[in-house]
Amino acid sequence: IIPSNRIHPTSQQLLEFYPAANQVPSGGFNYLSEQNRTIDRKQFTQRIDFVQDSASTWMGRYSYGHDDEVTPALQLNGSKLLNSVHQVMIGNTRTLSSRVLNEFRFGFNSFFNTYGRELAYERDVVSELGIPGITPGPPESWGIPAIVIGGYNGFGDSTEGPYTNRNKVFEFVDNLSWIRGTHSFKLGASIRFDHFDQDGNQFSRGSFQFDGRATGSFTGAATPGAAAFADFLLGYQRLSGASVALATTRFRAISQSYYFNDTWRMRENMTHDYGLRYEYTPPWLDKGGTLMNAYL
């Protein structure tokens, strides 16, 4: 029996996430709880068409979607999946003259996705515990350290995650049509800006293992599991692991394309089409300077 004044303060705090038995059936003690999965979805789309005058018309569309999914586990040890999408589009068709027509479009897409723990964005347990060597992370990484006790089911969060994507795409497109005599010219350009931000890795909240080596030789524990739990209560860990920080990448790319096309009606029964197109799709550039290529 370990006196309460000998229990390590951090272990005492962690016991909040190791619930006491609430069922006392014959032959043992159990903890019973309902694990109700929660899925919350929201969607919204709005389109507007506007006739500015006889030569110019506009259209705009905005779409929004959000998914919030929580898969609970023992005493706040579950997982959380969040998705948010924003889409914006603006277009203008303008008649510049009886022979010239211009079409302009702008599009924006934002995608946010994160997979983390049940307490993500809600409770920073790592900061509450103040464990030396464990650096608190951003709200998406909040949760409970992983506790492994030999002979018992562990508790706390999985060492996985968070894994987060924050992606944005901006695109500008313009097309000009021009009829001159027997020629129908068409030229245009498209410029696209890609921002792909990714964060995440394992062990962001730390992992701690207790196997009974510290107390098993002199406590007289009836089982190895009891000794391991005694190690946990006293704070005698066998092995620990933690990431220095969340891994981050900030990918950037600017893609471009330009074209020119001519439909030439040479005679009533003969039409000639010719044109030229140029496209440039560059490799990703990591804004943080951490991207590298390894050749073997």
Side-chain angles (χ1 to χ4, degrees):
I1 298 175
I2 299 175
S4 60
N5 62 353
R6 291 290 308 278
I7 297 177
H8 195 281
T10 301
S11 300
Q12 184 75 50
Q13 290 177 273
L14 283 168
L15 286 176
E16 172 190 350
F17 307 104
Y18 197 87
N22 58 11
Q23 303 289 315
V24 190
S26 59
F29 295 84
N30 296 302
Y31 176 76
L32 177 66
S33 68
E34 294 184 1
Q35 305 295 327
N36 295 320
R37 183 181 178 193
T38 302
I39 301 177
D40 184 13
R41 291 195 173 104
K42 305 180 183 69
Q43 292 182 332
F44 173 82
T45 298
Q46 176 70 59
R47 172 174 173 141
I48 297 176
D49 293 281
F50 171 62
V51 179
Q52 182 179 1
D53 51 42
S54 60
S56 178
T57 60
W58 295 82
M59 67 81 60
R61 190 189 74 228
Y62 170 72
S63 297
Y64 166 77
H66 178 79
D67 295 342
D68 187 339
E69 181 177 330
V70 177
T71 304
L74 178 69
Q75 199 73 359
L76 303 175
N77 298 175
S79 62
K80 179 179 292 182
L81 177 65
L82 302 177
N83 293 298
S84 290
V85 178
H86 298 268
Q87 291 181 331
V88 176
M89 179 179 174
I90 299 173
N92 174 249
T93 301
R94 182 177 296 271
T95 302
L96 301 177
S97 72
S98 60
R99 296 179 177 271
V100 182
L101 178 71
N102 189 77
E103 298 172 293
F104 170 78
R105 295 194 304 272
F106 166 75
F108 168 74
N109 180 66
S110 171
F111 173 69
F112 169 77
N113 167 269
T114 184
Y115 175 75
R117 312 320 304 167
E118 188 174 352
L119 289 178
Y121 297 96
E122 296 182 18
R123 185 175 174 186
D124 186 4
V125 178
V126 172
S127 291
E128 295 175 14
L129 297 174
I131 302 174
I134 307 298
T135 303
E140 64 205 81
S141 70
W142 288 357
I144 311 164
I147 307 299
V148 180
I149 302 175
Y152 290 92
N153 287 332
F155 68 97
D157 286 326
S158 166
T159 57
E160 289 290 335
Y163 300 110
T164 303
N165 293 277
R166 293 180 177 87
N167 303 334
K168 296 179 182 179
V169 178
F170 305 81
E171 186 170 16
F172 299 85
V173 178
D174 194 80
N175 298 297
L176 179 71
S177 300
W178 177 30
I179 300 176
R180 181 177 176 83
T182 58
H183 293 269
S184 295
F185 299 107
K186 193 166 186 178
L187 63 156
S190 173
I191 301 177
R192 170 173 166 155
F193 300 86
D194 290 303
H195 292 188
F196 286 180
D197 295 348
Q198 301 178 350
D199 304 280
N201 49 251
Q202 295 179 319
F203 298 99
S204 62
R205 293 163 298 277
S207 174
F208 303 89
Q209 297 183 21
F210 304 85
D211 63 3
R213 298 193 187 199
T215 59
S217 59
F218 58 85
T219 58
T223 65
F229 202 83
D231 278 11
F232 163 71
L233 292 177
L234 294 171
Y236 295 149
Q237 60 177 326
R238 170 60 180 171
L239 181 67
S240 64
S243 61
V244 176
L246 283 184
T248 62
T249 55
R250 299 292 181 263
F251 292 137
R252 300 290 184 268
I254 301 177
S255 303
Q256 305 174 55
S257 64
Y258 307 90
Y259 77 93
F260 168 80
N261 183 77
D262 178 24
T263 300
W264 178 20
R265 189 171 185 180
M266 303 174 65
R267 294 188 300 183
E268 290 187 0
N269 60 352
M270 181 180 295
T271 301
H272 180 57
D273 285 296
Y274 64 94
L276 180 67
R277 182 176 180 86
Y278 169 79
E279 292 188 9
Y280 175 63
T281 304
W284 292 109
L285 171 67
D286 186 3
K287 187 178 179 181
T290 59
L291 183 66
M292 68 176 186
N293 293 322
Y295 298 94
L296 300 178

Short mmCIF file of all heavy atoms in Angstrom, two decimals, residues 33-94:
data_model
loop_
_atom_site.label_atom_id
_atom_site.label_comp_id
_atom_site.label_asym_id
_atom_site.label_seq_id
_atom_site.Cartn_x
_atom_site.Cartn_y
_atom_site.Cartn_z
N SER A 33 -19.12 2.36 -19.64
CA SER A 33 -19.56 3.67 -20.13
C SER A 33 -20.05 3.53 -21.55
O SER A 33 -19.64 2.63 -22.29
CB SER A 33 -18.42 4.69 -20.08
OG SER A 33 -17.42 4.36 -21.03
N GLU A 34 -20.95 4.42 -21.94
CA GLU A 34 -21.45 4.45 -23.31
C GLU A 34 -20.52 5.30 -24.17
O GLU A 34 -20.13 6.40 -23.77
CB GLU A 34 -22.87 5.02 -23.37
CG GLU A 34 -23.91 4.15 -22.67
CD GLU A 34 -25.30 4.71 -22.83
OE1 GLU A 34 -25.44 5.76 -23.51
OE2 GLU A 34 -26.24 4.11 -22.29
N GLN A 35 -20.16 4.79 -25.33
CA GLN A 35 -19.26 5.50 -26.24
C GLN A 35 -20.07 5.90 -27.48
O GLN A 35 -20.13 5.18 -28.47
CB GLN A 35 -18.08 4.59 -26.63
CG GLN A 35 -17.31 4.04 -25.45
CD GLN A 35 -16.62 5.13 -24.65
OE1 GLN A 35 -16.18 6.14 -25.20
NE2 GLN A 35 -16.52 4.94 -23.35
N ASN A 36 -20.72 7.04 -27.41
CA ASN A 36 -21.59 7.50 -28.48
C ASN A 36 -20.81 8.37 -29.47
O ASN A 36 -20.33 9.45 -29.11
CB ASN A 36 -22.77 8.30 -27.91
CG ASN A 36 -23.67 7.44 -27.06
OD1 ASN A 36 -23.94 6.29 -27.39
ND2 ASN A 36 -24.14 7.98 -25.94
N ARG A 37 -20.66 7.87 -30.67
CA ARG A 37 -19.96 8.63 -31.71
C ARG A 37 -20.82 9.81 -32.15
O ARG A 37 -22.02 9.68 -32.35
CB ARG A 37 -19.69 7.70 -32.90
CG ARG A 37 -18.92 8.33 -34.03
CD ARG A 37 -18.75 7.29 -35.14
NE ARG A 37 -18.06 7.83 -36.29
CZ ARG A 37 -18.02 7.21 -37.47
NH1 ARG A 37 -18.62 6.04 -37.62
NH2 ARG A 37 -17.37 7.76 -38.48
N THR A 38 -20.18 10.96 -32.30
CA THR A 38 -20.90 12.18 -32.67
C THR A 38 -20.42 12.68 -34.02
O THR A 38 -19.21 12.81 -34.25
CB THR A 38 -20.65 13.28 -31.62
OG1 THR A 38 -21.08 12.81 -30.34
CG2 THR A 38 -21.42 14.54 -31.97
N ILE A 39 -21.36 12.94 -34.92
CA ILE A 39 -21.05 13.51 -36.23
C ILE A 39 -21.95 14.72 -36.44
O ILE A 39 -23.17 14.61 -36.40
CB ILE A 39 -21.26 12.49 -37.37
CG1 ILE A 39 -20.37 11.25 -37.16
CG2 ILE A 39 -20.95 13.13 -38.72
CD1 ILE A 39 -20.58 10.18 -38.20
N ASP A 40 -21.34 15.87 -36.66
CA ASP A 40 -22.07 17.12 -36.87
C ASP A 40 -21.65 17.70 -38.21
O ASP A 40 -20.46 17.98 -38.42
CB ASP A 40 -21.78 18.09 -35.73
CG ASP A 40 -22.59 19.37 -35.84
OD1 ASP A 40 -23.56 19.39 -36.64
OD2 ASP A 40 -22.26 20.35 -35.15
N ARG A 41 -22.59 17.90 -39.13
CA ARG A 41 -22.27 18.41 -40.46
C ARG A 41 -23.10 19.66 -40.76
O ARG A 41 -24.28 19.73 -40.44
CB ARG A 41 -22.56 17.36 -41.54
CG ARG A 41 -21.62 16.17 -41.51
CD ARG A 41 -21.73 15.35 -42.79
NE ARG A 41 -20.72 14.31 -42.84
CZ ARG A 41 -20.95 13.03 -42.62
NH1 ARG A 41 -22.17 12.63 -42.34
NH2 ARG A 41 -19.98 12.14 -42.69
N LYS A 42 -22.42 20.64 -41.40
CA LYS A 42 -23.08 21.87 -41.82
C LYS A 42 -22.69 22.14 -43.27
O LYS A 42 -21.53 21.99 -43.65
CB LYS A 42 -22.67 23.06 -40.95
CG LYS A 42 -22.88 22.88 -39.47
CD LYS A 42 -22.44 24.11 -38.71
CE LYS A 42 -22.56 23.93 -37.21
NZ LYS A 42 -21.59 22.98 -36.66
N GLN A 43 -23.66 22.59 -44.07
CA GLN A 43 -23.40 22.93 -45.47
C GLN A 43 -24.20 24.17 -45.85
O GLN A 43 -25.33 24.37 -45.38
CB GLN A 43 -23.78 21.77 -46.39
CG GLN A 43 -22.88 20.55 -46.26
CD GLN A 43 -23.28 19.45 -47.23
OE1 GLN A 43 -24.44 19.33 -47.63
NE2 GLN A 43 -22.32 18.63 -47.63
N PHE A 44 -23.58 24.98 -46.70
CA PHE A 44 -24.25 26.20 -47.17
C PHE A 44 -23.71 26.55 -48.55
O PHE A 44 -22.51 26.50 -48.80
CB PHE A 44 -23.99 27.36 -46.20
CG PHE A 44 -24.49 28.69 -46.69
CD1 PHE A 44 -25.82 29.03 -46.55
CD2 PHE A 44 -23.63 29.59 -47.33
CE1 PHE A 44 -26.29 30.26 -47.00
CE2 PHE A 44 -24.09 30.81 -47.79
CZ PHE A 44 -25.43 31.15 -47.63
N THR A 45 -24.62 26.90 -49.47
CA THR A 45 -24.23 27.34 -50.82
C THR A 45 -25.13 28.50 -51.24
O THR A 45 -26.35 28.45 -51.06
CB THR A 45 -24.35 26.19 -51.85
OG1 THR A 45 -23.46 25.14 -51.49
CG2 THR A 45 -23.98 26.68 -53.24
N GLN A 46 -24.52 29.54 -51.80
CA GLN A 46 -25.27 30.70 -52.27
C GLN A 46 -24.70 31.15 -53.61
O GLN A 46 -23.49 31.28 -53.77
CB GLN A 46 -25.15 31.84 -51.26
CG GLN A 46 -25.82 33.13 -51.69
CD GLN A 46 -27.34 33.03 -51.69
OE1 GLN A 46 -27.93 32.74 -50.68
NE2 GLN A 46 -27.95 33.28 -52.83
N ARG A 47 -25.58 31.38 -54.59
CA ARG A 47 -25.15 31.90 -55.89
C ARG A 47 -25.94 33.17 -56.20
O ARG A 47 -27.14 33.26 -55.92
CB ARG A 47 -25.39 30.86 -56.99
CG ARG A 47 -25.14 31.45 -58.38
CD ARG A 47 -25.21 30.44 -59.48
NE ARG A 47 -25.14 31.10 -60.78
CZ ARG A 47 -24.48 30.65 -61.82
NH1 ARG A 47 -23.79 29.52 -61.73
NH2 ARG A 47 -24.49 31.30 -62.97
N ILE A 48 -25.23 34.15 -56.79
CA ILE A 48 -25.84 35.42 -57.16
C ILE A 48 -25.48 35.73 -58.62
O ILE A 48 -24.31 35.61 -59.01
CB ILE A 48 -25.36 36.57 -56.26
CG1 ILE A 48 -25.79 36.33 -54.82
CG2 ILE A 48 -25.89 37.91 -56.76
CD1 ILE A 48 -25.28 37.37 -53.85
N ASP A 49 -26.47 36.09 -59.42
CA ASP A 49 -26.26 36.55 -60.79
C ASP A 49 -26.71 38.00 -60.88
O ASP A 49 -27.78 38.38 -60.38
CB ASP A 49 -27.06 35.70 -61.78
CG ASP A 49 -26.53 34.27 -61.85
OD1 ASP A 49 -25.51 34.05 -62.52
OD2 ASP A 49 -27.13 33.38 -61.22
N PHE A 50 -25.89 38.84 -61.54
CA PHE A 50 -26.15 40.27 -61.59
C PHE A 50 -25.90 40.78 -63.00
O PHE A 50 -24.82 40.58 -63.57
CB PHE A 50 -25.25 41.00 -60.59
CG PHE A 50 -25.28 42.49 -60.70
CD1 PHE A 50 -26.45 43.19 -60.47
CD2 PHE A 50 -24.13 43.20 -61.03
CE1 PHE A 50 -26.48 44.58 -60.57
CE2 PHE A 50 -24.15 44.58 -61.13
CZ PHE A 50 -25.33 45.27 -60.89
N VAL A 51 -26.90 41.45 -63.56
CA VAL A 51 -26.76 42.08 -64.88
C VAL A 51 -26.43 43.55 -64.65
O VAL A 51 -27.29 44.33 -64.24
CB VAL A 51 -28.04 41.92 -65.72
CG1 VAL A 51 -27.87 42.60 -67.07
CG2 VAL A 51 -28.39 40.45 -65.90
N GLN A 52 -25.17 43.90 -64.89
CA GLN A 52 -24.74 45.27 -64.67
C GLN A 52 -25.34 46.20 -65.72
O GLN A 52 -25.86 47.27 -65.39
CB GLN A 52 -23.21 45.34 -64.72
CG GLN A 52 -22.65 46.72 -64.46
CD GLN A 52 -21.13 46.73 -64.48
OE1 GLN A 52 -20.50 45.70 -64.71
NE2 GLN A 52 -20.55 47.90 -64.24
N ASP A 53 -25.26 45.81 -66.98
CA ASP A 53 -25.88 46.52 -68.08
C ASP A 53 -25.91 45.57 -69.27
O ASP A 53 -25.62 44.38 -69.13
CB ASP A 53 -25.14 47.82 -68.42
CG ASP A 53 -23.64 47.61 -68.62
OD1 ASP A 53 -23.27 46.62 -69.27
OD2 ASP A 53 -22.85 48.45 -68.13
N SER A 54 -26.28 46.08 -70.44
CA SER A 54 -26.41 45.22 -71.61
C SER A 54 -25.08 44.63 -72.05
O SER A 54 -25.04 43.65 -72.80
CB SER A 54 -27.02 46.01 -72.77
OG SER A 54 -26.21 47.13 -73.11
N ALA A 55 -23.95 45.19 -71.57
CA ALA A 55 -22.64 44.72 -72.01
C ALA A 55 -21.91 43.90 -70.95
O ALA A 55 -20.86 43.33 -71.24
CB ALA A 55 -21.77 45.90 -72.42
N SER A 56 -22.43 43.86 -69.74
CA SER A 56 -21.68 43.21 -68.67
C SER A 56 -22.59 42.44 -67.73
O SER A 56 -23.60 42.99 -67.24
CB SER A 56 -20.88 44.25 -67.88
OG SER A 56 -20.18 43.66 -66.81
N THR A 57 -22.25 41.18 -67.47
CA THR A 57 -22.97 40.36 -66.50
C THR A 57 -21.98 39.74 -65.52
O THR A 57 -20.84 39.41 -65.88
CB THR A 57 -23.78 39.24 -67.18
OG1 THR A 57 -22.88 38.38 -67.92
CG2 THR A 57 -24.82 39.81 -68.13
N TRP A 58 -22.43 39.56 -64.29
CA TRP A 58 -21.60 39.01 -63.24
C TRP A 58 -22.27 37.79 -62.62
O TRP A 58 -23.50 37.68 -62.61
CB TRP A 58 -21.37 40.03 -62.13
CG TRP A 58 -20.58 41.24 -62.53
CD1 TRP A 58 -21.05 42.36 -63.16
CD2 TRP A 58 -19.18 41.44 -62.32
NE1 TRP A 58 -20.04 43.26 -63.36
CE2 TRP A 58 -18.87 42.73 -62.85
CE3 TRP A 58 -18.16 40.70 -61.73
CZ2 TRP A 58 -17.59 43.25 -62.80
CZ3 TRP A 58 -16.89 41.22 -61.68
CH2 TRP A 58 -16.60 42.48 -62.22
N MET A 59 -21.47 36.90 -62.08
CA MET A 59 -21.99 35.80 -61.28
C MET A 59 -21.02 35.56 -60.12
O MET A 59 -19.82 35.80 -60.22
CB MET A 59 -22.15 34.51 -62.09
CG MET A 59 -20.86 33.86 -62.60
SD MET A 59 -19.95 32.83 -61.38
CE MET A 59 -21.17 31.60 -61.01
N GLY A 60 -21.58 35.11 -59.01
CA GLY A 60 -20.76 34.79 -57.84
C GLY A 60 -21.35 33.62 -57.09
O GLY A 60 -22.58 33.44 -57.06
N ARG A 61 -20.47 32.81 -56.52
CA ARG A 61 -20.94 31.66 -55.75
C ARG A 61 -20.04 31.46 -54.54
O ARG A 61 -18.82 31.57 -54.62
CB ARG A 61 -20.93 30.39 -56.60
CG ARG A 61 -21.63 29.20 -55.91
CD ARG A 61 -21.42 27.90 -56.65
NE ARG A 61 -20.06 27.40 -56.43
CZ ARG A 61 -19.27 26.96 -57.40
NH1 ARG A 61 -19.66 27.03 -58.66
NH2 ARG A 61 -18.06 26.51 -57.13
N TYR A 62 -20.68 31.14 -53.40
CA TYR A 62 -19.93 30.82 -52.19
C TYR A 62 -20.49 29.53 -51.61
O TYR A 62 -21.72 29.37 -51.48
CB TYR A 62 -20.06 31.94 -51.15
CG TYR A 62 -19.50 31.56 -49.80
CD1 TYR A 62 -18.13 31.43 -49.60
CD2 TYR A 62 -20.35 31.28 -48.73
CE1 TYR A 62 -17.62 31.05 -48.36
CE2 TYR A 62 -19.86 30.92 -47.49
CZ TYR A 62 -18.49 30.80 -47.31
OH TYR A 62 -17.99 30.42 -46.09
N SER A 63 -19.60 28.61 -51.26
CA SER A 63 -19.99 27.34 -50.65
C SER A 63 -19.18 27.10 -49.40
O SER A 63 -17.97 27.42 -49.34
CB SER A 63 -19.77 26.17 -51.63
OG SER A 63 -20.57 26.30 -52.78
N TYR A 64 -19.84 26.55 -48.40
CA TYR A 64 -19.18 26.26 -47.12
C TYR A 64 -19.62 24.88 -46.64
O TYR A 64 -20.78 24.49 -46.78
CB TYR A 64 -19.57 27.32 -46.09
CG TYR A 64 -19.23 26.94 -44.66
CD1 TYR A 64 -17.92 27.03 -44.19
CD2 TYR A 64 -20.22 26.49 -43.78
CE1 TYR A 64 -17.60 26.69 -42.88
CE2 TYR A 64 -19.91 26.15 -42.47
CZ TYR A 64 -18.60 26.25 -42.02
OH TYR A 64 -18.30 25.91 -40.75
N GLY A 65 -18.68 24.14 -46.09
CA GLY A 65 -18.99 22.84 -45.52
C GLY A 65 -18.13 22.59 -44.30
O GLY A 65 -16.95 22.98 -44.26
N HIS A 66 -18.71 21.96 -43.29
CA HIS A 66 -17.96 21.67 -42.07
C HIS A 66 -18.41 20.33 -41.51
O HIS A 66 -19.60 20.05 -41.40
CB HIS A 66 -18.17 22.76 -41.02
CG HIS A 66 -17.45 22.47 -39.72
ND1 HIS A 66 -16.11 22.69 -39.56
CD2 HIS A 66 -17.91 21.96 -38.54
CE1 HIS A 66 -15.75 22.34 -38.34
NE2 HIS A 66 -16.83 21.89 -37.70
N ASP A 67 -17.44 19.48 -41.16
CA ASP A 67 -17.70 18.19 -40.52
C ASP A 67 -16.96 18.16 -39.19
O ASP A 67 -15.78 18.50 -39.12
CB ASP A 67 -17.20 17.01 -41.37
CG ASP A 67 -17.96 16.89 -42.68
OD1 ASP A 67 -19.06 17.47 -42.76
OD2 ASP A 67 -17.47 16.21 -43.58
N ASP A 68 -17.64 17.74 -38.15
CA ASP A 68 -17.07 17.62 -36.81
C ASP A 68 -17.42 16.22 -36.32
O ASP A 68 -18.58 15.93 -36.04
CB ASP A 68 -17.65 18.69 -35.89
CG ASP A 68 -16.95 18.72 -34.53
OD1 ASP A 68 -16.34 17.70 -34.17
OD2 ASP A 68 -17.03 19.75 -33.84
N GLU A 69 -16.41 15.35 -36.21
CA GLU A 69 -16.65 13.95 -35.84
C GLU A 69 -15.80 13.59 -34.64
O GLU A 69 -14.58 13.74 -34.64
CB GLU A 69 -16.32 13.04 -37.02
CG GLU A 69 -16.56 11.56 -36.74
CD GLU A 69 -16.28 10.69 -37.95
OE1 GLU A 69 -16.46 11.18 -39.08
OE2 GLU A 69 -15.87 9.53 -37.75
N VAL A 70 -16.45 13.09 -33.58
CA VAL A 70 -15.76 12.68 -32.37
C VAL A 70 -16.05 11.20 -32.12
O VAL A 70 -17.21 10.79 -32.05
CB VAL A 70 -16.20 13.51 -31.14
CG1 VAL A 70 -15.52 13.00 -29.87
CG2 VAL A 70 -15.89 14.98 -31.36
N THR A 71 -14.99 10.41 -32.01
CA THR A 71 -15.10 8.99 -31.67
C THR A 71 -14.54 8.81 -30.27
O THR A 71 -13.32 8.79 -30.07
CB THR A 71 -14.31 8.12 -32.66
OG1 THR A 71 -14.76 8.38 -34.00
CG2 THR A 71 -14.49 6.65 -32.36
N PRO A 72 -15.41 8.72 -29.26
CA PRO A 72 -14.93 8.69 -27.87
C PRO A 72 -14.30 7.36 -27.50
O PRO A 72 -14.47 6.35 -28.18
CB PRO A 72 -16.21 8.94 -27.07
CG PRO A 72 -17.30 8.41 -27.94
CD PRO A 72 -16.87 8.67 -29.35
N ALA A 73 -13.54 7.37 -26.43
CA ALA A 73 -12.95 6.18 -25.85
C ALA A 73 -12.91 6.38 -24.34
O ALA A 73 -13.47 7.35 -23.81
CB ALA A 73 -11.56 5.93 -26.42
N LEU A 74 -12.24 5.48 -23.62
CA LEU A 74 -12.21 5.51 -22.18
C LEU A 74 -11.80 6.88 -21.64
O LEU A 74 -10.72 7.37 -21.93
CB LEU A 74 -11.22 4.45 -21.68
CG LEU A 74 -11.02 4.36 -20.17
CD1 LEU A 74 -12.27 3.81 -19.51
CD2 LEU A 74 -9.81 3.49 -19.85
N GLN A 75 -12.68 7.50 -20.90
CA GLN A 75 -12.40 8.74 -20.14
C GLN A 75 -11.65 9.79 -20.96
O GLN A 75 -10.52 10.15 -20.66
CB GLN A 75 -11.63 8.39 -18.87
CG GLN A 75 -11.66 9.45 -17.80
CD GLN A 75 -13.02 9.53 -17.10
OE1 GLN A 75 -13.94 8.78 -17.44
NE2 GLN A 75 -13.16 10.40 -16.13
N LEU A 76 -12.28 10.28 -22.06
CA LEU A 76 -11.74 11.37 -22.88
C LEU A 76 -10.49 10.97 -23.67
O LEU A 76 -9.68 11.82 -24.05
CB LEU A 76 -11.43 12.60 -22.02
CG LEU A 76 -12.59 13.19 -21.21
CD1 LEU A 76 -12.10 14.33 -20.32
CD2 LEU A 76 -13.69 13.66 -22.13
N ASN A 77 -10.33 9.68 -23.94
CA ASN A 77 -9.16 9.19 -24.67
C ASN A 77 -9.45 8.95 -26.15
O ASN A 77 -8.68 8.26 -26.83
CB ASN A 77 -8.65 7.87 -24.07
CG ASN A 77 -8.17 7.99 -22.63
OD1 ASN A 77 -7.82 7.00 -22.02
ND2 ASN A 77 -8.15 9.20 -22.07
N GLY A 78 -10.55 9.50 -26.67
CA GLY A 78 -10.95 9.23 -28.05
C GLY A 78 -10.23 10.10 -29.06
O GLY A 78 -9.21 10.73 -28.79
N SER A 79 -10.81 10.16 -30.27
CA SER A 79 -10.20 10.91 -31.37
C SER A 79 -11.21 11.91 -31.94
O SER A 79 -12.42 11.79 -31.73
CB SER A 79 -9.71 9.97 -32.47
OG SER A 79 -10.80 9.24 -33.03
N LYS A 80 -10.67 12.88 -32.67
CA LYS A 80 -11.51 13.94 -33.25
C LYS A 80 -11.05 14.20 -34.67
O LYS A 80 -9.85 14.32 -34.94
CB LYS A 80 -11.40 15.21 -32.41
CG LYS A 80 -12.21 16.39 -32.93
CD LYS A 80 -12.05 17.59 -32.01
CE LYS A 80 -12.69 17.36 -30.68
NZ LYS A 80 -12.59 18.54 -29.79
N LEU A 81 -12.02 14.32 -35.58
CA LEU A 81 -11.74 14.64 -36.98
C LEU A 81 -12.54 15.88 -37.36
O LEU A 81 -13.76 15.92 -37.20
CB LEU A 81 -12.14 13.47 -37.89
CG LEU A 81 -11.97 13.67 -39.39
CD1 LEU A 81 -10.50 13.84 -39.75
CD2 LEU A 81 -12.58 12.49 -40.17
N LEU A 82 -11.83 16.91 -37.85
CA LEU A 82 -12.48 18.16 -38.25
C LEU A 82 -12.16 18.46 -39.71
O LEU A 82 -11.00 18.34 -40.13
CB LEU A 82 -12.00 19.32 -37.37
CG LEU A 82 -12.20 19.22 -35.86
CD1 LEU A 82 -11.60 20.43 -35.17
CD2 LEU A 82 -13.67 19.08 -35.52
N ASN A 83 -13.17 18.86 -40.46
CA ASN A 83 -12.99 19.28 -41.86
C ASN A 83 -13.77 20.57 -42.08
O ASN A 83 -14.93 20.69 -41.65
CB ASN A 83 -13.53 18.22 -42.84
CG ASN A 83 -12.73 16.94 -42.81
OD1 ASN A 83 -11.55 16.94 -43.11
ND2 ASN A 83 -13.38 15.85 -42.45
N SER A 84 -13.15 21.51 -42.78
CA SER A 84 -13.84 22.75 -43.17
C SER A 84 -13.43 23.11 -44.59
O SER A 84 -12.24 23.04 -44.93
CB SER A 84 -13.49 23.91 -42.23
OG SER A 84 -14.05 23.71 -40.96
N VAL A 85 -14.42 23.46 -45.41
CA VAL A 85 -14.18 23.81 -46.81
C VAL A 85 -14.86 25.13 -47.12
O VAL A 85 -16.03 25.33 -46.78
CB VAL A 85 -14.70 22.72 -47.76
CG1 VAL A 85 -14.48 23.12 -49.21
CG2 VAL A 85 -14.02 21.38 -47.48
N HIS A 86 -14.12 26.04 -47.78
CA HIS A 86 -14.68 27.29 -48.29
C HIS A 86 -14.36 27.37 -49.78
O HIS A 86 -13.22 27.14 -50.19
CB HIS A 86 -14.07 28.51 -47.58
CG HIS A 86 -14.32 28.56 -46.11
ND1 HIS A 86 -15.40 29.20 -45.56
CD2 HIS A 86 -13.63 28.02 -45.08
CE1 HIS A 86 -15.36 29.07 -44.24
NE2 HIS A 86 -14.30 28.35 -43.92
N GLN A 87 -15.35 27.74 -50.58
CA GLN A 87 -15.16 27.91 -52.02
C GLN A 87 -15.81 29.22 -52.45
O GLN A 87 -16.96 29.50 -52.09
CB GLN A 87 -15.76 26.76 -52.82
CG GLN A 87 -15.04 25.43 -52.65
CD GLN A 87 -15.66 24.34 -53.49
OE1 GLN A 87 -16.86 24.35 -53.76
NE2 GLN A 87 -14.85 23.38 -53.90
N VAL A 88 -15.05 30.01 -53.22
CA VAL A 88 -15.55 31.29 -53.73
C VAL A 88 -15.25 31.35 -55.22
O VAL A 88 -14.15 31.01 -55.66
CB VAL A 88 -14.87 32.49 -53.03
CG1 VAL A 88 -15.34 33.80 -53.64
CG2 VAL A 88 -15.17 32.47 -51.54
N MET A 89 -16.24 31.80 -56.00
CA MET A 89 -16.03 31.97 -57.44
C MET A 89 -16.72 33.26 -57.89
O MET A 89 -17.85 33.55 -57.50
CB MET A 89 -16.59 30.80 -58.23
CG MET A 89 -16.41 30.93 -59.73
SD MET A 89 -17.05 29.52 -60.65
CE MET A 89 -16.83 30.11 -62.33
N ILE A 90 -16.00 34.05 -58.69
CA ILE A 90 -16.54 35.28 -59.27
C ILE A 90 -16.27 35.27 -60.76
O ILE A 90 -15.14 34.96 -61.18
CB ILE A 90 -15.90 36.53 -58.63
CG1 ILE A 90 -16.19 36.57 -57.13
CG2 ILE A 90 -16.40 37.81 -59.30
CD1 ILE A 90 -15.46 37.68 -56.40
N GLY A 91 -17.25 35.57 -61.56
CA GLY A 91 -17.08 35.60 -63.01
C GLY A 91 -17.72 36.83 -63.63
O GLY A 91 -18.75 37.32 -63.16
N ASN A 92 -17.10 37.33 -64.70
CA ASN A 92 -17.64 38.48 -65.42
C ASN A 92 -17.52 38.23 -66.92
O ASN A 92 -16.46 37.84 -67.41
CB ASN A 92 -16.90 39.76 -65.06
CG ASN A 92 -17.33 40.96 -65.89
OD1 ASN A 92 -16.57 41.47 -66.71
ND2 ASN A 92 -18.57 41.40 -65.70
N THR A 93 -18.62 38.43 -67.63
CA THR A 93 -18.63 38.37 -69.09
C THR A 93 -18.96 39.76 -69.61
O THR A 93 -20.02 40.31 -69.31
CB THR A 93 -19.68 37.36 -69.60
OG1 THR A 93 -19.39 36.06 -69.05
CG2 THR A 93 -19.66 37.28 -71.12
N ARG A 94 -18.02 40.32 -70.39
CA ARG A 94 -18.17 41.71 -70.82
C ARG A 94 -18.00 41.80 -72.35
O ARG A 94 -17.02 41.31 -72.91
CB ARG A 94 -17.14 42.61 -70.14
CG ARG A 94 -17.26 44.09 -70.50
CD ARG A 94 -16.23 44.90 -69.72
NE ARG A 94 -16.49 44.85 -68.29
CZ ARG A 94 -17.28 45.69 -67.65
NH1 ARG A 94 -17.90 46.67 -68.32
NH2 ARG A 94 -17.46 45.60 -66.36
#
